[in-house]
């Protein structure tokens, strides 16, 4: 029922049948729901009950009267009593209670308990006795129905009904030629089919969709469905009731709640303690608290990035952790750092994001239309051709939000979106979030800023140690704590860290009004299907790889400084080798002479290739870590992402290897023949330098995936280059040195110099390493095609091993629920 009254919230309350009685439940409305002048959250009602919305005396009034015929089942019960809305009518003097039915009495009103905490001799003043209603609502009130009734996720009415017939096939998809058309870009053109089986049952069959078909949150290819099963396709869910298919479209009218979330780290320390709260639909909720109060941990637990050790997160009464594969598409997350490449324009960044997130059969025009729609909604259309680096901090945050809005999430989380912004931008961002909530989304924002909390519908205050200190309307929060400013509240948190803030909260009237019922609601049971497959990805592996390669090339092409450095570095490193004076260069010396310069020249060129290759990649993963974490959560392939880096950086490294050798060999004498490419010894040596640069580039990726900040990469890069100098085998004897030789096997420069030594026959060009036994030569420098091939293969295998290590290390930066 739509009520045109400013005091009524967007989604104010629900009147529903619980299986044996009628219930009215307030959804955290701003102005409240009242019975006999008393504000209630949930209670049983019956014929003769009168309820006021928004105001206890003159708010819109609901009068309930019994129908002529008794209700026979759930559907007839829903029409058995018709609430009549009569705005402006005064409430009756007495609440009519049908004693035979045993309808619940509303709780007696008590004045709000305002505490004035202050240091006493014995510590804090103890709060008054907890507020206890006369009669609590039954525990099964919101469990989705009486025993035996199929669970209805979210207690929402179906959006539409579809009649199923025996022998009929009902195909679902985005294309207009389907029997059931779903206008959702998350859905493939021909997504799935409902089919009737020979025994009268129905099954759902996935038609190779890009984002998958789900039964009770689990991806399936083919599954028999029953009355207790929920089929998910994009933003729509379906339930089979008899021969009728009920469709529920997720448009934002979904509940979200946390139940007893507890996070324990190594050593048994709890950093999040028994956090429970419910989020009203289409509302803006702020989470504040001092440092160390568990805000970031809570955000990770709510989004599935780091599931709580205990407790549940329920999205529309569905367990997020157990059904993450499906529900992840309906949740948006904007981390504190921007989740976009700043070198790209706004439009181009959104294009690549849409290409990765939407199904492969989505037309370019469909993607462009959605991008333009989001840009207009966030007032970014006038900035769409600007580079992200040219935008202000608030505008960049809007672009990050725009990226998340592409897939139309119903629930959006933001981590410190106003961090580093001035007060004006702070207000702009919070007003943006207020608008998102008013447009039909639920928004939860973790923030340190308290200037614009009045824009929020609810406020969650976290106390030191990770417990809840308050949850309710923001305008009542300071009164609840007994202080005039938030600075005083945070100082109290710091000065009295051992005080039981959670106990004080649970003993308050605010807890009874806004949070007590959350603990009483039991989560829905989840039916795990025996046939489970890995969640599909919106794009095929090849399509993702092609998109990622194109995006990476666009990022590099937009960074002229990187391009200049990429060309300058090999030119300098190759030129340095030309400074070394040498009569013979890399060629064999005159009879009875040795050419020690050949080894020195190859040492410089090899170390230069090591440094250039590692420098290309050592920052690439760490600088994109936040982007990767978010894209991985929505279906990005880890191997495709890593392969895109390997391909692009490999090509760059190969070009640099050619430049290094072209400059380094341009003034040098070379041997007349190689061992593999007989007539082109320079090409043979160039391949060695390229392979060394490639393996060094892979080691750079390992370093980039290990470190936590980009500043730590440079010391490790320098250390890597110096270590390579030592273990080349040019400076001193490596072979036949127990311990040292085995360590050298792990160094790419050792095998690269071995391959170069095989090509140049360094064992005979240079003076013997073992002067006591001149015939004891380095086996890796044997002047044969076979030894050259072995050196090159081992060198490349080291690079492949590094790729495997990087892939394993990238798992640490994925949502933990996906790893399980």
């Amino acid at each position: 029922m739509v009520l045109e009254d400013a005091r009524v919230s967007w989604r104010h309350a629900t009147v529903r049948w619980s299986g044996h009685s009628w219930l009215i439940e307030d959804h955290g409305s701003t102005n409240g729901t009242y019975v006999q002048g008393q504000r209630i959250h949930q209670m049983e009602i019956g014929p003769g009950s009168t309820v006021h919305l928004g105001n206890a005396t003159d708010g819109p009034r609901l009068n309930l009267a019994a129908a002529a015929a008794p209700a026979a089942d759930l559907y007839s019960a829903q029409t058995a009593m018709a609430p009549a809305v009569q705005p402006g009518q005064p409430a009756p003097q007495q609440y009519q209670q049908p004693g035979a039915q045993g309808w619940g009495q509303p709780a007696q009103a008590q004045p709000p308990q305002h505490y004035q905490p202050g240091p006493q001799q014995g510590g804090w003043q103890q709060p008054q006795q907890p507020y206890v209603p006369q009669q609590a609502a039954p525990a099964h009130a919101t469990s989705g129905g009486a025993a035996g009734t199929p669970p209805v996720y979210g207690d929402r009415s179906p959006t539409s009904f579809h009649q199923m017939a025996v022998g009929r096939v009902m195909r679902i998809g985005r294309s207009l030629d389907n029997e059931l058309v779903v206008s959702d870009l998350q859905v493939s053109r021909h997504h799935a089919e409902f089919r009737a089986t020979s025994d009268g049952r129905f099954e759902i069959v996935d038609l190779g969709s890009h984002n998958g078909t789900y039964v009770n949150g689990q991806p399936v290819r083919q599954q028999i469905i029953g009355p207790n099963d929920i089929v998910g396709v994009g933003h729509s869910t379906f339930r089979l009731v008899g021969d009728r298919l009920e469709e529920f479209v997720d448009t934002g009218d979904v509940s979200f709640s946390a139940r007893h979330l507890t996070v324990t780290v190594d050593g048994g320390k709890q950093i999040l303690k028994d956090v429970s709260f419910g989020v009203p639909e289409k509302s803006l909720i702020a989470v504040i608290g001092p440092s160390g109060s568990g805000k970031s941990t809570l955000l990770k637990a709510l989004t599935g990035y780091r599931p709580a050790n205990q407790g549940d997160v329920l999205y529309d009464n569905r367990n997020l952790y157990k059904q993450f594969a499906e529900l992840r598409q309906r949740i948006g997350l904007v981390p504190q750092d921007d989740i976009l490449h700043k070198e790209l324009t706004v439009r181009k960044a959104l294009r690549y994001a849409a290409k990765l997130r939407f199904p492969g059969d989505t037309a370019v025009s469909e993607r462009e239309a959605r991008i333009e729609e989001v840009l207009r909604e966030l007032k970014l259309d006038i900035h769409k051709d600007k580079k992200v680096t040219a935008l202000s901090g608030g505008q960049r945050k809007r672009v990050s939000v725009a990226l998340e809005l592409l897939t139309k999430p119903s629930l959006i989380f933001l981590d410190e979106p106003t961090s580093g912004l001035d007060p004006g931008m702070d207000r702009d961002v919070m007003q943006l979030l207020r608008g998102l909530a008013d447009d039909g989304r639920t928004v939860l924002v973790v923030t340190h800023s308290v200037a614009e909390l009045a824009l929020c519908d609810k406020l969650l205050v976290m106390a030191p140690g990770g417990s809840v200190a308050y949850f309710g309307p923001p305008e009542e929060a300071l009164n609840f704590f007994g202080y005039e400013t938030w600075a005083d509240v945070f100082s109290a948190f710091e000065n009295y860290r051992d005080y039981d803030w959670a106990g004080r909260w649970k003993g308050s009237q605010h807890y009874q009004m806004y949070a007590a019922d959350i603990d009483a609601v039991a989560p829905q049971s989840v039916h795990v299907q025996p046939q489970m497959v890995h969640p599909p990805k919106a794009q095929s592996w090849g399509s993702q790889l092609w998109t990622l390669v194109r995006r990476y090339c666009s990022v590099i092409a937009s960074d002229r400084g990187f391009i200049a450095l990429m060309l300058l570095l090999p030119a300098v490193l190759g030129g340095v080798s030309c400074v070394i004076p040498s009569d013979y260069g890399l060629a064999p010396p005159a009879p009875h002479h040795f050419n020690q310069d050949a080894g020195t020249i190859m040492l410089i060129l090899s170390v230069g290739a090591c440094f250039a290759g590692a420098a290309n990649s050592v920052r690439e993963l760490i600088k994109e870590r936040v982007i990767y974490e978010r894209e991985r959560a929505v279906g990005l392939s880890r191997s495709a992402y890593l392969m895109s880096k390997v391909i692009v950086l490999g090509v760059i490294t190969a070009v640099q290897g050619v430049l290094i050798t072209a400059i380094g060999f341009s003034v040098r004498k070379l041997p007349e023949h190689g061992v593999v490419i007989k007539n082109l010894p320079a090409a043979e040596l160039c391949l060695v330098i390229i392979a060394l640069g490639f393996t060094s580039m892979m080691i750079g990726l390992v370093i980039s995936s290990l470190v936590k900040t980009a500043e730590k990469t440079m010391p490790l890069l320098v250390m890597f280059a110096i270590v390579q100098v030592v273990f080349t085998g040019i400076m001193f004897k490596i072979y036949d040195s127990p311990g040292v030789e085995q360590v050298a096997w792990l160094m790419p420069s050792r095998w690269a110099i071995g391959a170069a030594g095989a090509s140049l026959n360094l064992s005979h060009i240079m003076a013997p390493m073992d002067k006591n036994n001149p015939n004891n030569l380095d086996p890796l420098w044997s002047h044969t095609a076979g030894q050259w091939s072995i050196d090159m293969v081992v060198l490349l295998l080291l690079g492949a091993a590094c790729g495997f290590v990087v892939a394993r290390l990238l798992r640490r930066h994925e949502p933990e629920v996906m790893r399980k």
Side-chain angles (χ1 to χ4, degrees):
M1 294 181 294
V2 179
L3 306 181
E4 296 293 335
D5 192 297
R7 295 167 295 182
V8 178
S9 297
W10 276 86
R11 186 166 177 81
H12 194 103
T14 298
V15 178
R16 60 185 177 82
W17 180 250
S18 69
H20 66 90
S21 63
W22 285 93
L23 294 174
I24 185 165
E25 179 181 4
D26 186 274
H27 289 292
S29 62
T30 303
N31 296 313
T33 302
Y34 300 85
V35 174
Q36 283 194 311
Q38 302 168 18
R39 185 165 182 168
I40 59 99
H41 183 73
Q42 177 181 292
M43 67 173 293
E44 295 182 356
I45 54 177
S49 300
T50 300
V51 181
H52 282 80
L53 307 178
N55 188 280
T57 56
D58 62 348
R61 190 176 77 180
L62 305 178
N63 290 328
L64 289 94
D73 55 23
L74 176 63
Y75 297 103
S76 60
Q78 291 177 341
T79 59
M81 290 184 287
V85 183
Q86 302 176 13
Q89 293 191 10
Q93 301 249 335
Q94 175 145 8
Y95 173 68
Q96 300 180 16
Q97 175 185 358
Q101 300 294 330
W103 305 103
Q105 294 276 4
Q108 297 296 323
Q110 295 185 8
Q113 302 173 10
H114 303 311
Y115 304 106
Q116 300 290 338
Q120 308 292 328
Q121 280 187 335
W124 286 88
Q125 297 178 3
Q126 294 296 322
Q128 301 178 24
Q129 292 297 319
Y131 168 79
V132 180
Q134 288 186 353
Q135 180 174 347
H140 61 268
T142 59
S143 63
T149 304
V152 182
Y153 292 128
D155 294 327
R156 292 180 286 117
S157 298
T159 307
S160 59
F161 302 93
H162 309 277
Q163 194 67 33
M164 303 287 290
V166 178
R168 179 186 175 189
V169 175
M170 181 178 291
R171 188 172 59 187
I172 306 172
R174 203 172 72 248
S175 178
L176 296 179
D177 60 352
N178 293 284
E179 287 77 15
L180 204 164
V181 179
V182 179
S183 299
D184 182 358
L185 288 182
Q186 295 289 89
V187 177
S188 299
R189 292 187 179 277
H190 299 101
H191 196 103
E193 287 181 348
F194 283 102
R195 300 174 182 173
T197 61
S198 58
D199 57 0
R201 294 185 297 173
F202 292 93
E203 65 177 356
I204 182 71
V205 179
D206 186 81
L207 299 179
S209 63
H210 295 277
N211 282 321
T213 303
Y214 300 83
V215 175
N216 300 328
Q218 305 299 329
V220 299
R221 294 191 180 95
Q222 186 171 348
Q223 182 71 43
I224 298 292
I225 57 174
N228 291 328
D229 294 325
I230 299 296
V231 179
V233 174
H235 286 81
S236 298
T237 53
F238 301 90
R239 188 180 64 152
L240 191 63
V241 179
D243 60 350
R244 183 173 63 176
L245 189 67
E246 298 181 347
E247 179 181 5
F248 300 81
V249 179
D250 185 349
T251 58
D253 292 326
V254 294
S255 61
F256 184 82
S257 61
R259 310 276 174 83
H260 305 291
L261 297 183
T262 299
V263 174
T264 305
V265 295
D266 295 338
K269 181 182 178 181
Q270 290 185 344
I271 56 177
L272 205 64
K273 299 179 181 178
D274 195 26
V275 175
S276 298
F277 65 95
V279 176
E281 299 92 335
K282 299 183 180 180
S283 58
L284 175 60
I285 296 89
V287 180
I288 65 172
S291 299
S293 59
K295 300 187 299 296
S296 297
T297 303
L298 175 63
L299 188 65
K300 292 179 181 179
L302 294 177
T303 56
Y305 272 59
R306 201 288 188 192
N309 300 100
Q310 301 176 19
D312 295 317
V313 175
L314 302 184
Y315 177 98
D316 207 15
N317 258 11
R318 303 173 66 180
N319 192 302
L320 176 64
Y321 298 158
K322 295 182 180 179
Q323 306 188 30
F324 184 80
E326 177 187 356
L327 298 180
R328 64 181 179 177
Q329 302 290 348
R330 308 190 192 183
I331 297 177
L333 172 63
V334 180
Q336 184 173 348
D337 298 324
D338 294 328
I339 50 176
L340 36 85
H341 293 87
K342 299 179 182 180
E343 300 84 359
L344 301 178
T345 64
V346 173
R347 192 210 304 262
K348 188 172 290 187
L350 294 181
R351 279 176 177 170
Y352 284 123
K355 179 68 175 173
L356 288 172
R357 298 191 181 195
F358 289 144
D361 61 3
T362 306
V364 175
S365 58
E366 292 178 298
R367 291 198 302 268
E368 290 294 323
R370 180 57 189 157
I371 291 171
E372 293 298 327
E373 181 182 352
V374 170
L375 289 174
R376 287 193 300 270
E377 180 179 1
L378 298 183
K379 297 180 176 60
L380 287 170
D381 47 340
I382 60 175
H383 304 294
K384 60 186 178 183
D385 293 320
K386 295 181 181 178
K387 285 189 176 182
V388 177
T389 51
L391 302 178
S392 65
Q395 291 168 343
R396 285 201 301 271
K397 193 59 62 177
R398 284 177 178 265
V399 178
S400 294
V401 174
L403 190 149
E404 291 300 310
L405 291 185
L406 289 174
T407 55
K408 296 185 178 180
S410 300
L411 184 64
I412 303 177
F413 293 91
L414 300 99
D415 186 12
E416 299 285 356
T418 60
S419 177
L421 302 183
D422 60 51
M425 290 184 179
D426 183 358
R427 178 187 301 171
D428 291 342
V429 172
M430 292 301 291
Q431 288 177 343
L432 164 68
L433 303 183
R434 176 70 265 171
L436 293 178
D438 292 340
D439 288 340
R441 306 174 184 92
T442 298
V443 183
L444 189 146
V445 52
V446 175
T447 180
H448 275 114
S449 175
V450 296
E452 304 298 332
L453 294 180
L455 293 173
C456 302
D457 298 300
K458 289 290 186 296
L459 176 65
L460 175 66
V461 182
M462 300 295 292
S467 58
V468 177
Y470 173 82
F471 178 73
E475 62 271 14
E476 300 178 17
L478 287 176
N479 218 7
F480 171 81
F481 288 107
Y483 289 105
E484 295 183 357
T485 66
W486 282 108
D488 295 331
V489 176
F490 280 40
S491 295
F493 284 149
E494 181 64 28
N495 296 332
Y496 303 93
R497 299 183 70 89
D498 294 333
Y499 180 70
D500 186 10
W501 294 100
R504 179 178 181 272
W505 155 243
K506 291 184 177 180
S508 68
Q509 182 181 6
H510 285 77
Y511 173 78
Q512 298 295 333
M513 295 177 64
Y514 302 117
D517 66 309
I518 296 297
D519 295 342
V521 181
Q524 294 288 349
S525 60
V526 178
H527 304 277
V528 180
Q529 301 297 329
Q531 179 187 2
M532 296 175 59
V533 295
H534 290 292
K537 299 173 175 60
Q539 299 284 327
S540 65
W541 189 89
S543 179
Q544 283 195 9
L545 176 62
W546 176 237
T547 301
L548 291 168
V549 168
R550 290 170 54 203
R551 183 178 70 178
Y552 194 20
C553 291
S554 297
V555 171
I556 292 176
S558 302
D559 190 350
R560 296 181 179 178
F562 179 81
I563 295 176
L565 182 61
M566 179 188 69
L567 297 175
L568 182 62
L569 183 61
V572 171
L573 294 174
V576 168
S577 69
C578 297
V579 177
I580 302 173
S582 174
D583 294 332
Y584 302 106
L586 299 173
H592 309 295
H593 289 79
F594 293 111
N595 183 6
Q596 296 295 121
D597 297 332
T600 305
I601 293 170
M602 287 308 306
L603 172 64
I604 297 301
L605 292 175
S606 298
V607 173
C610 286
F611 188 84
N616 289 336
S617 60
V618 76
R619 289 178 177 264
E620 288 307 304
L621 299 183
I622 182 62
K623 75 179 183 180
E624 290 186 0
R625 181 161 297 173
V626 177
I627 299 175
Y628 172 75
E629 288 178 353
R630 183 60 194 135
E631 291 183 341
R632 178 64 178 146
V634 295
L636 179 69
S637 168
R638 183 195 314 131
S639 58
Y641 175 78
L642 178 57
M643 187 56 66
S644 70
K645 297 294 184 185
V646 172
I647 291 174
V648 177
L649 292 175
V651 171
I652 292 174
T653 302
V655 172
Q656 289 178 327
V658 172
L659 291 176
I660 290 176
T661 53
I663 296 174
F665 296 160
S666 61
V667 295
R668 301 299 184 190
K669 294 180 181 179
L670 295 176
E672 296 180 0
H673 302 288
V675 293
V676 176
I677 308 176
K678 297 295 184 179
N679 298 324
L680 292 173
E684 190 172 295
L685 292 172
C686 183
L687 290 177
V688 173
I689 296 298
I690 291 174
L692 176 58
F694 176 83
T695 301
S696 300
M697 179 268 294
M698 297 301 297
I699 293 177
L701 290 178
V702 173
I703 295 174
S704 189
S705 61
L706 278 173
V707 298
K708 293 184 178 180
T709 60
E711 290 75 15
K712 295 180 180 179
T713 59
M714 287 299 104
L716 293 175
L717 174 62
V718 174
M719 182 180 68
F720 166 72
I722 292 175
V723 169
Q724 299 311 303
V725 174
V726 176
F727 288 98
T728 55
I730 295 290
M731 300 180 65
F732 62 94
K733 178 184 173 184
I734 294 290
Y735 62 97
D736 291 342
S737 300
V740 176
E741 182 179 15
Q742 285 70 36
V743 173
W745 289 345
L746 302 176
M747 304 298 164
S749 62
R750 169 67 173 147
W751 297 98
I753 291 295
S759 294
L760 299 173
N761 197 13
L762 285 181
S763 294
H764 295 91
I765 290 179
M766 295 176 57
M769 287 287 179
D770 190 351
K771 296 181 180 179
N772 297 324
N773 186 5
N775 295 323
N776 184 14
L777 304 177
D778 192 334
L780 270 61
W781 293 5
S782 178
H783 189 53
T784 64
Q787 186 59 52
W788 185 91
S789 301
I790 291 175
D791 293 338
M792 290 291 287
V793 168
V794 174
L795 181 59
L796 294 175
L797 286 177
L798 285 176
C802 289
F804 177 79
V805 172
V806 174
R808 300 298 296 176
L809 291 174
L810 282 175
R811 294 182 71 251
R812 302 184 306 163
H813 310 297
E814 300 172 1
E816 187 173 322
V817 70
M818 293 182 68
R819 284 181 261 158
K820 295 182 178 180

